[in-house]
Amino acid sequence: GSDLYHIRPSDTKINTARGDAPFVDFDDFPKCNPVIPVSDGGPYSLKFYKDGYKSGSKTEYADKVEVDNHFKGDIARTVAYLYMHYKTNTNTPSDKKSLTGDLNLNDVIGYGNPEKPNDQTRAIEILKKWNKQDKPSDVEKHRNHVVQQIQGNRNPFVDCPELLDKMFE
């Protein structure tokens, strides 16, 4: 089965625009121009950058995306949960090895250094920053409770956001 913390409802237009592009803050990427906003007309929107995009051209997948500030903490806590469960070398008490292989944070949070592809330091800093900037909302806390009722476990980073910093010490 699937892990419900990895599955989120999504508008198809937004999901298609994102593809599997990594999350960023475009303020950190000034050369990414133009940045194109995509919205479902409701609370969910993102900005994306596509290398070579020209106004009016058809773009299927983004190269980088940025979610609204009030969802960045949600992203950070979800990524931390997935990293904890599906990454082999974390500072978690479990000595179990992941059955699904490594999760490289640079593939999810777009701050990797091409000269040092295994250095995830900057991606970890961004996760910590977003976690502090956007505290768990009532909706995120409720979702955590509902997922626990279905799948039997919680995302500890929603219950105790300070654990995210501890995991990456």
Side-chain angles (χ1 to χ4, degrees), residues 52-105:
Y53 177 85
K54 292 181 176 63
S55 182
S57 68
K58 183 177 181 205
T59 301
E60 294 182 13
Y61 302 105
D63 292 330
K64 294 176 176 59
V65 297
E66 179 179 7
V67 296
D68 285 341
N69 288 336
H70 60 279
F71 288 110
K72 287 180 180 169
D74 302 47
I75 297 293
R77 288 180 287 278
T78 297
V79 170
Y81 167 88
L82 295 169
Y83 188 83
M84 178 182 69
H85 279 276
Y86 303 107
K87 171 73 175 155
T88 58
N89 327 338
T90 61
N91 295 331
T92 59
S94 173
D95 61 355
K96 304 285 185 214
K97 295 293 182 187
S98 169
L99 299 175
T100 58
D102 288 343
L103 173 62
N104 186 329
L105 292 176

Side-chain angles (χ1 to χ4, degrees), residues 80 131 156-169:
N131 182 51
F157 305 108
V158 174
D159 293 327
C160 302
E162 64 278 5
L163 290 177
L164 195 146
D165 283 350
K166 297 271 185 216
M167 182 172 79
F168 292 111
E169 286 181 341

Side-chain angles (χ1 to χ4, degrees), residues 25 27-28 72-73 76 111 122-134 164-165:
D25 275 320
D27 291 343
D28 298 336
K72 287 180 180 169
Y111 287 85
R122 184 69 176 124
I124 291 168
E125 290 172 6
I126 295 299
L127 288 178
K128 290 177 178 182
K129 174 184 164 185
W130 290 354
N131 182 51
K132 287 179 180 126
Q133 283 179 339
D134 172 38
L164 195 146
D165 283 350

Side-chain angles (χ1 to χ4, degrees), residues 3 5 81 85 144-145 147-156:
D3 190 320
Y5 290 110
Y81 167 88
H85 279 276
N144 200 26
H145 179 70
V147 171
Q148 180 204 12
Q149 290 177 321
I150 296 168
Q151 105 180 6
N153 70 315
R154 298 180 71 78
N155 180 341

